[in-house]
Amino acid sequence: MSAPIFPESGGDGPNEVGPSVEPFVVDHHLVNKIKAQAIIDAGYCREQDGQVYSDEMQLKVAMLEAMINQHVAKGQRDLAKRAITKFELYAEMLPNAPGVESLPRTPEEAAAQDQLKKTLWSWLNAGTTGYVQVRVAELGYVLCEAPVSRTKVNEETGRREPTTETGRFLTTNRQLILNHYTTPAGTRFLAAARKLDAQLGLVTARRPELAEPIEKQLSVVLRQALESIRHADVRQAAALTRDHTDDAEQA
């Protein structure tokens, strides 16, 4: 299912200022009612004292089952097909919710759609504590995310347009896990290290007398970093940093 592209508001040209529009005041109580009704309409509800209430726990469990049954990638070939994007997850779990079949009709429907999408996507967080990630451990799956190709319908032109979105999927495939889980984690770690180096460089450039104490401080940080990564090859990592550490300790 294609997610709609909302036309941008504004004037007639890039430098034009559009007409002044009073901001909508969103009725948050109504937003909550719309969200609850969308969950109830999808069948995730319970009865209590003669009233029907939405049940997010049922929705969570159903999402977990949907991921296990429909969104397991066996390899690179079926990754795009098995992965699910933020809007696709919303449409799959709440098919009658605002914005699935047509654009939201009111600011409250738009707000309800946005909040429900964020909630569902947060449950599918690929981090170590995400709801789905934790609960697929016994099955040996890893919840990963990767850019996937999709098409969207432009509401102004009615044409389908190619786009790239983040898709999430379960897998036991070795290469997919290395490419889309551990490698990105390592890249983020490296980015943090480079940021630290830039900050230390800023200080030593302005205060050269701090170069030696900073180097000693860094040797401690490096050792702690190695010790904190329990799954790393400590011997190999230590060998790569030994010269730097020894020099710092002798200084």
Side-chain angles (χ1 to χ4, degrees):
M1 178 175 294
S2 298
I5 295 179
F6 294 90
E8 295 182 356
S9 60
D12 297 328
N15 298 317
E16 298 292 330
V17 177
S20 176
V21 178
E22 290 295 324
F24 289 107
V25 177
V26 176
D27 184 338
H28 296 289
H29 177 68
L30 180 55
V31 171
N32 289 333
K33 289 182 64 176
I34 294 171
K35 289 164 55 180
Q37 191 61 52
I39 296 173
I40 291 171
D41 289 344
Y44 312 117
C45 55
R46 55 184 170 80
E47 289 190 21
Q48 183 176 334
D49 299 328
Q51 299 292 323
V52 178
Y53 296 92
S54 61
D55 193 325
E56 287 194 354
M57 183 52 66
Q58 290 185 31
L59 177 56
K60 275 187 173 183
V61 172
M63 186 185 72
L64 174 62
E65 293 176 351
M67 290 301 298
I68 294 172
N69 294 330
Q70 302 174 43
H71 300 288
V72 177
K74 295 181 179 179
Q76 188 64 40
R77 288 186 177 182
D78 69 343
L79 189 159
K81 178 181 178 181
R82 295 300 179 184
I84 190 166
T85 67
K86 188 176 185 179
F87 180 82
E88 290 167 349
L89 178 65
Y90 173 69
E92 182 174 315
M93 301 310 304
L94 303 171
N96 299 313
V100 174
E101 295 295 338
S102 61
L103 293 174
R105 296 168 297 180
T106 65
E108 285 77 17
E109 285 193 352
Q113 178 193 37
D114 184 58
Q115 291 177 24
L116 285 169
K117 285 196 300 184
K118 287 180 179 178
T119 296
L120 289 166
W121 201 237
S122 70
W123 295 343
L124 201 60
N125 179 2
T128 58
T129 60
Y131 175 79
V132 172
Q133 186 77 281
V134 170
R135 286 159 180 79
V136 296
E138 293 184 359
L139 299 175
Y141 291 129
V142 176
L143 174 61
C144 305
E145 64 179 29
V148 293
S149 297
R150 291 292 189 266
T151 58
K152 285 188 176 182
V153 177
N154 189 309
E155 292 297 322
E156 289 184 325
T157 64
R159 297 178 180 176
R160 290 183 175 273
E161 299 179 351
T163 184
T164 300
E165 299 183 37
T166 297
R168 292 176 178 168
F169 58 95
L170 300 178
T171 190
T172 58
N173 180 276
R174 175 181 182 274
Q175 202 58 48
L176 291 183
I177 293 171
L178 292 176
N179 289 348
H180 301 297
Y181 198 83
T182 57
T183 294
T187 300
R188 291 191 293 271
F189 181 84
L190 181 58
R194 287 173 173 164
K195 181 179 179 180
L196 172 62
D197 183 64
Q199 291 173 328
L200 298 181
L202 180 150
V203 173
T204 55
R206 299 179 186 183
R207 301 296 301 271
E209 74 276 11
L210 293 178
E212 285 190 13
I214 284 177
E215 189 170 359
K216 292 180 180 179
Q217 186 182 56
L218 183 58
S219 69
V220 175
V221 171
L222 289 174
R223 186 180 297 111
Q224 291 174 337
L226 289 176
E227 292 173 352
S228 67
I229 305 176
R230 296 181 294 111
H231 300 287
D233 185 336
V234 177
R235 292 181 180 178
Q236 183 180 18
L240 293 173
T241 59
R242 185 178 297 119
D243 291 342
H244 175 86
T245 303
D246 291 344
D247 291 344
E249 290 178 345
Q250 293 173 6

